[in-house]
Amino acid sequence: MNDIVFKGIDTPNLRQLAVYEANGGYAAVRKALKDIKPDELIEMVKQSGLRGRGGAGFPTGMKWSFVPKVSAEPKYVVVNADESEPGTFKDRELMEKNPHQLLEGIILAAWAIGSHKSFIYIRGEFAHIAKILEAAALEAEARGYLGKNIFGSGFDLDLVIHRGAGAYICGEETALLDSLEGFRGQPRLKPPFPAVKGLYGGPTIVNNVETLSFVPFIVNEGPAAFRKFGTEKSPGTKIFSVSGPVKKPGNYELPLGTPLRKLLEEICGGMLGGHELLAVIPGGSSVPVWNKDYLDVPLDFESVAAKGSLLGSGGVIVMSSKTSMVAATLNLTRFYRHESCGKCTPCREGTYWMEKVLGRIHRGLGMPGDLELLLDLCSTLEGRSFCALGDAAAMPVRSSILMFRDEYEARIREAAGGKTPETAGSR
Amino acid sequence: MALEFKPAVVDECRKIISRYPQPRSAVLPLLYVAQREFGYVPKEAEALVADLLELPPADVAGVVSFYTMFHRQPVGKYVVQVCRTLSCAIMGGDNLADHLQKKLGIGPGETTPDGKFTLKWVECLASCGTAPVVQINDDYHENLTIQELDRLLDSLR
């Protein structure tokens, strides 16, 4: 456990450059700027098989290779530190405890694609973490590790830490870019993808905090060392954020492919007293929920997808028999309704109606046909918006009806058997 | 008297703008400056920011209204933000929310008559493993029980 990005994470004062450096920090940048050509660096990341840790799992090296070598417009590295996916709290710990590891990853990414300007887009609520990053960046700049002529290599990189202001949608990479440009954060139609036409129209890579934090290790130890962990198609380790009524919730860095059972029963110590496992959302709220029959699924991109869910951000939300699945699904649906940016009609209106229908089922006013109506609404949302928020909103609804249909039906039957069924549709 | 930024604040804003390839990118940072200076972002402050960025005020208003962290009305000295999303809800966040409404005698979006507390419901703050969380101004308070929350509120003056 904690083999790569969390290695030594609790070293006292690791935030300080001197401590980070004493523990091997900035060796990767020194080495790369001196001895590794940008193309070779991209090739190394490709070889490692590193896949984006923000949710989509896209191969990082391939993303970098899409950036044109020659560009009339400046190129940019943008860090997605807008960690807002319900159930996910890993980037936060990486930035709070080891900001220089991220800075090192940024410098390496910028070197690889030939960028001289970089932004960390951090969610507005993380005011205290923005200060930690500012302090780290100032320290790095004072030592000549950032800014002009890094390590005397002639390579320049300016870094700006930019706070968002409260909007889940800005974690979507093109909405993030719009927000960073000073607009309302709404997704753009793709293609063109940011690697070709991103920030201010220039070629841009947008990478998650955890993703970039892996790059120094890959440079120092080589792609093969990274591949010692994980599976063939999902190499390396990944941070899993576990929340809900388990004995030891928290962040754990584990090899991809670790079975869910091991994570929950061994590492998290099992359920809290009085709680019995009911359901697990394995990859942040935007992925399908499982019932307790899925504990033996290995947590890697392929295995989780083969069992009908997604590895997503690695945010593992555990629910117990004390949780109503109708209430839990309503909770998430309210979240997506609130966070829909309003650009695409299916998402804007669909999340609104799903919340309405789930709300009446929850309040004991559900009607026969409501589950079909909800599933129909899911079909209207799926694949019909610019970005993935619409799909994300449909997944918890469709999957929880699939897995826990009995609870929904019982709730609707109770309503129909009640004294005032005729008022059921009036709210 | 018309609302204005102090000269030192104008300098601070210009310095922020200079960090970006295009001035418009500085709209969120400048709105944070305005909120720090005035306690909230009144219409006139939107105009000040628009002026500095050479944007139509309506553009700035459009940005302000999109994000949840800018207050368009005056708020209390302490903005108490309760996370309502799933992991917190499972671990007792809803109980904290109910308790706060009773204790403060106000609903979400409201401010106590003495101007001390504003109550807000917010979505996931990335404290799921240390749920439930309440954010008061910039500070996170995690793993909260009702008793701890009471002690915390009583300690705020």
Side-chain angles (χ1 to χ4, degrees):
Chain A
M1 196 161 73
N2 296 352
D3 291 305
I4 303 179
V5 282
F6 266 179
K7 196 170 181 186
I9 190 79
D10 290 314
T11 305
N13 302 317
L14 186 59
R15 279 181 205 170
Q16 294 169 12
L17 192 147
V19 176
Y20 178 68
E21 207 167 14
N23 284 277
Y26 286 105
V29 168
R30 279 179 200 275
K31 180 172 158 185
L33 266 50
K34 193 161 162 274
D35 292 328
I36 305 175
K37 292 192 183 75
D39 279 352
E40 292 167 0
L41 178 53
I42 293 176
E43 193 52 35
M44 276 176 99
V45 176
K46 270 189 182 171
Q47 297 275 324
S48 75
L50 174 65
R51 296 171 64 172
R53 299 297 197 244
F58 191 82
T60 306
M62 197 183 292
K63 193 184 242 187
W64 293 7
S65 72
F66 292 155
V67 174
K69 300 279 166 279
V70 184
S71 166
E73 300 292 331
K75 305 177 201 177
Y76 300 100
V77 172
V78 176
V79 183
N80 188 342
D82 193 58
E83 183 166 62
S84 312
E85 175 72 9
T88 314
F89 46 95
K90 63 190 177 67
D91 297 339
R92 176 186 167 188
E93 188 168 353
L94 280 172
M95 293 188 285
E96 279 172 343
K97 294 184 175 169
N98 199 353
H100 285 287
Q101 179 174 249
L102 172 62
L103 298 190
E104 207 179 349
I106 296 169
I107 300 166
L108 291 166
W111 174 247
I113 69 157
S115 163
H116 303 291
K117 184 98 185 174
S118 179
F119 297 88
I120 300 178
Y121 185 101
I122 183 164
R123 67 177 296 180
E125 293 87 345
F126 283 172
H128 66 289
I129 305 176
K131 284 185 190 137
I132 292 170
L133 293 171
E134 292 279 4
L138 276 175
E139 221 187 335
E141 205 172 328
R143 291 286 297 272
Y145 294 7
L146 252 183
K148 299 273 177 212
N149 192 22
I150 298 172
F151 290 117
S153 64
F155 180 68
D156 302 339
L157 180 64
D158 182 41
L159 174 69
V160 176
I161 290 138
H162 184 93
R163 277 174 70 201
Y168 169 72
I169 189 62
C170 292
E172 195 281 336
E173 62 177 6
T174 62
L176 185 156
L177 295 177
D178 260 27
S179 177
L180 183 49
E181 288 184 9
F183 295 91
R184 295 163 73 92
Q186 294 187 315
R188 302 173 179 176
L189 189 62
K190 295 185 268 192
F193 288 92
V196 177
K197 197 170 189 289
L199 188 64
Y200 312 118
T204 304
I205 54 167
V206 184
N207 279 143
N208 168 262
V209 170
E210 186 187 348
T211 311
L212 287 174
S213 297
F214 275 108
V215 179
F217 175 90
I218 294 168
V219 169
N220 283 326
E221 310 290 331
F226 183 76
R227 280 189 171 277
K228 277 190 192 148
F229 302 95
T231 68
E232 172 65 28
K233 288 184 175 168
S234 295
T237 55
K238 160 105 195 72
I239 302 172
F240 294 95
S241 307
V242 184
S243 63
V246 294
K247 289 207 179 98
K248 291 185 281 177
N251 285 317
Y252 302 98
E253 184 191 1
L254 299 170
L256 283 162
T258 302
L260 178 58
R261 185 184 298 280
K262 183 172 178 185
L263 174 62
L264 297 187
E265 293 180 0
E266 287 178 36
I267 294 166
C268 295
M271 302 294 287
L272 281 177
H275 289 266
E276 200 182 311
L277 179 67
L278 176 72
V280 179
I281 302 177
S285 67
S286 302
V287 310
V289 61
W290 281 336
N291 61 27
K292 62 185 177 188
D293 297 340
Y294 291 76
L295 280 174
D296 293 309
V297 180
L299 296 171
D300 58 76
F301 290 102
E302 289 69 32
S303 304
V304 177
K307 292 290 178 187
S309 192
L310 294 162
L311 190 71
S313 63
V316 179
I317 305 174
V318 178
M319 283 164 276
S320 79
S321 42
K322 293 190 176 178
T323 301
S324 149
M325 286 312 294
V326 176
T329 309
L330 173 61
N331 181 295
L332 292 179
T333 303
R334 188 210 63 230
F335 172 83
Y336 290 109
R337 190 265 304 148
H338 181 260
E339 300 298 341
S340 173
C341 78
K343 182 167 180 158
C344 308
T345 314
C347 174
R348 184 184 65 233
E349 301 299 316
T351 51
Y352 171 85
W353 281 107
M354 287 200 307
E355 188 192 9
K356 281 259 189 207
V357 177
L358 277 164
R360 76 181 177 214
I361 297 174
H362 178 59
R363 291 194 305 274
L365 298 167
M367 294 185 291
D370 270 358
L371 298 187
E372 288 65 34
L373 180 57
L374 280 172
L375 293 171
D376 190 42
L377 278 164
C378 288
S379 305
T380 308
L381 278 162
E382 286 155 355
R384 287 185 165 80
S385 300
F386 271 43
C387 82
L389 196 143
D391 301 86
M395 284 195 210
V397 176
R398 182 183 288 286
S399 60
S400 75
I401 293 175
L402 184 76
M403 294 277 163
F404 301 96
R405 193 167 181 122
D406 288 354
E407 186 188 327
Y408 283 88
E409 286 181 343
R411 195 108 188 103
I412 293 170
R413 263 200 315 276
E414 283 163 26
K419 283 179 185 159
T420 53
E422 67 276 10
T423 64
S426 63
R427 295 198 195 173
Chain B
M1 202 176 76
L3 205 61
E4 273 186 62
F5 281 140
K6 287 176 271 195
V9 175
V10 172
D11 288 347
E12 180 189 354
C13 290
R14 294 206 189 286
K15 213 167 150 189
I16 293 171
I17 295 168
S18 73
R19 300 293 315 272
Y20 294 92
Q22 293 183 10
R24 181 172 184 134
S25 280
V27 65
L28 294 185
L30 262 51
L31 286 168
Y32 276 123
V33 170
Q35 184 150 287
R36 186 194 69 205
E37 291 297 306
F38 308 122
Y40 71 113
V41 185
K43 267 260 156 292
E44 298 94 316
E46 291 173 9
L48 293 178
V49 169
D51 252 10
L52 283 166
L53 298 174
E54 299 181 26
L55 288 174
D59 276 26
V60 176
V63 169
V64 173
S65 65
F66 186 80
Y67 300 92
T68 57
M69 288 182 63
F70 299 119
H71 310 302
R72 305 188 88 187
Q73 305 292 332
V75 289
K77 185 173 175 193
Y78 300 104
V79 182
V80 180
Q81 300 154 88
V82 187
C83 173
R84 302 298 308 281
T85 320
L86 188 56
S87 297
C88 276
I90 293 172
M91 299 306 287
D94 286 351
N95 300 339
L96 295 182
D98 291 345
H99 178 73
L100 278 168
Q101 292 197 79
K102 281 190 212 121
K103 184 180 169 87
L104 301 177
I106 52 174
E110 294 174 356
T111 301
T112 52
D114 62 1
K116 196 164 156 191
F117 295 109
T118 295
L119 190 56
K120 272 181 84 177
W121 299 162
V122 296
E123 300 296 348
C124 189
L125 291 172
S127 288
C128 319
T130 41
V133 62
V134 173
Q135 188 180 4
I136 301 180
N137 293 345
D138 279 350
D139 299 325
Y140 278 36
H141 302 276
E142 306 176 279
N143 287 317
L144 274 182
T145 60
I146 286 177
Q147 292 73 24
E148 284 161 349
L149 181 61
D150 277 344
R151 269 201 295 279
L152 182 62
L153 291 184
D154 294 343
S155 74
L156 298 174
R157 291 284 162 247

